[in-house]
């Protein structure tokens, strides 16, 4: 394998890459997003500087079903995030994510710094209820339920699209070969080429169970604020560095 061949490889292992070069297109990606008020001290402990919490101490827990993802295939994902701001600009900060497919776990961590671990999330319609669950090490650690398509947002799809396109932020940490820190960055990205097939709001409940290695309950639920079900297409582009902790 020549130097040029090595440098052209999209990912490890170079002989059989885990994922191809991006950008990556997602078709009919389905979401259940439950936004809630949480404990301000727990929120601040999970949010890295220089990000600031948005008013209201808001976090959200989401399930995502990806039936058609270029380079990654068909998989599901679940995790928590914080509603925040970066230098006055609204953003969403990813706290933890759990999914059941190796390529997007590897790519997410290596490229953008997504905080991904292996878990078994599921999103489905059970009779009249949109239902999300997450199992970690065979234990259920999260369940979210929402009324199914009770309030359509058909007349607000432009607003939904704007929200999907806002700034998202991850904390990217990569160790060096000596165990020190090689990369410590806040990475920003914005989804592109967004098409909203449908969006709905409704009543919801969220149950998070404490687990030492899947700490979704560390941002406890104080009050449900809103819930949304949406189906969208978009492109995930490469990101950019917002803040370098080693600079």
């Amino acid at each position: 394998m020549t130097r040029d061949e090595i440098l052209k490889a999209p990912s490890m292992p170079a002989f059989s890459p885990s994922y191809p070069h991006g950008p990556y297109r997602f078709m009919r990606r389905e979401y259940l997003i439950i936004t809630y008020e949480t404990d301000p001290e727990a929120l601040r402990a999970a949010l890295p500087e220089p990000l600031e919490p948005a008013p209201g101490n808001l976090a959200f827990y989401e399930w995502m079903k990806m039936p058609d993802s270029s380079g990654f295939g068909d998989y599901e994902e679940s995790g928590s995030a914080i509603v925040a701001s970066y230098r006055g600009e609204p953003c969403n900060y990813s706290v933890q994510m759990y999914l059941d497919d190796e390529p997007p776990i590897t790519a997410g961590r290596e490229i953008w710094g997504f905080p991904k671990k292996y878990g078994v999330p599921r999103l489905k319609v059970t009779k009249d209820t949109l239902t999300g669950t997450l199992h970690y090490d065979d234990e259920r650690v999260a369940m979210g339920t929402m009324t199914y398509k009770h309030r359509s947002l058909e007349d607000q799809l432009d607003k939904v699209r704007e929200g999907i396109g806002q700034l998202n932020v991850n904390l990217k940490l990569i160790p060096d070969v000596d165990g020190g820190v090689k990369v410590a960055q806040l990475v920003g990205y914005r989804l592109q080429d967004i098409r909203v097939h449908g969006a709905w709001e409704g009543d919801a409940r969220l149950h998070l169970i404490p687990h030492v290695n899947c700490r979704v309950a560390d941002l406890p639920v104080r009050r449900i604020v809103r819930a949304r079900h949406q189906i969208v297409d978009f492109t995930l582009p490469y990101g950019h560095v917002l803040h370098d902790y080693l600079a």
Side-chain angles (χ1 to χ4, degrees):
M1 187 179 295
T2 67
R3 176 182 181 276
D4 287 344
E5 289 172 334
I6 292 170
L7 296 180
K8 287 180 181 178
S11 58
M12 293 179 60
F15 192 69
S16 178
S18 289
Y19 52 88
H21 289 292
Y24 306 90
R25 184 69 178 167
F26 293 79
M27 305 298 291
R28 300 197 70 85
R29 179 164 172 163
E30 185 174 12
Y31 290 81
L32 166 59
I33 306 170
I34 302 176
T35 302
Y36 65 95
E37 180 183 337
T38 189
D39 180 79
E41 293 183 1
L43 186 149
R44 182 68 269 184
L47 191 66
E49 60 181 12
L51 298 180
E52 292 293 335
N57 300 312
L58 298 179
F60 60 90
Y61 197 91
E62 61 184 351
W63 279 267
M64 294 160 280
K65 180 185 289 188
M66 279 75 69
D68 183 357
S69 309
S70 61
F72 302 143
D74 179 358
Y75 66 102
E76 299 189 43
E77 187 167 344
S78 179
S80 59
I82 291 172
V83 183
S85 66
Y86 172 72
R87 296 182 177 175
E89 181 178 0
C91 67
N92 295 322
Y93 171 72
S94 299
V95 179
Q96 51 195 322
M97 309 173 83
Y98 300 88
L99 54 158
D100 59 356
D101 187 18
E102 185 272 331
I105 293 177
T106 306
R109 290 169 64 113
E110 292 180 355
I111 299 174
W112 301 272
F114 282 109
K116 297 180 183 251
K117 296 175 71 173
Y118 184 84
V120 183
R122 292 293 179 261
L123 178 62
K124 63 181 180 179
V125 180
T126 305
K127 305 299 183 182
D128 60 347
T129 309
L130 182 63
T131 304
T133 59
L134 173 64
H135 283 76
Y136 187 90
D137 289 347
D138 297 326
E139 297 294 332
R140 193 176 75 182
V141 293
M143 183 176 72
T145 55
M146 177 181 167
T147 53
Y148 188 66
K149 293 187 176 181
H150 276 207
R151 298 193 293 273
S152 174
L153 299 179
E154 184 66 29
D155 60 344
Q156 302 178 45
L157 295 188
D158 286 344
K159 184 178 179 181
V160 172
R161 187 181 303 107
E162 287 180 15
I164 296 171
Q166 77 170 16
L167 178 65
N168 294 282
V169 181
N170 299 323
L171 175 61
K172 181 174 180 177
L173 294 173
I174 297 180
D176 208 341
V177 294
D178 62 359
V181 181
K182 184 67 173 181
V183 175
Q185 302 167 336
L186 281 182
V187 175
Y189 69 95
R190 297 176 188 273
L191 304 178
Q192 299 174 347
D193 304 321
I194 300 165
R195 178 186 177 189
V196 182
H197 294 280
W200 302 265
E201 289 185 342
D203 296 335
R205 297 293 184 270
L206 178 62
H207 181 47
L208 304 177
I209 300 169
H211 190 296
V212 69
N213 284 323
C214 183
R215 294 166 50 186
V216 294
D218 282 19
L219 291 175
V221 180
R222 296 287 182 252
R223 178 178 64 90
I224 300 294
V225 174
R226 59 182 171 271
R228 178 174 294 172
H229 174 207
Q230 59 192 30
I231 301 173
V232 302
D233 302 340
F234 62 77
T235 298
L236 172 61
Y238 291 116
H240 59 283
V241 177
L242 299 175
H243 184 81
D244 188 343
Y245 295 96
L246 300 179

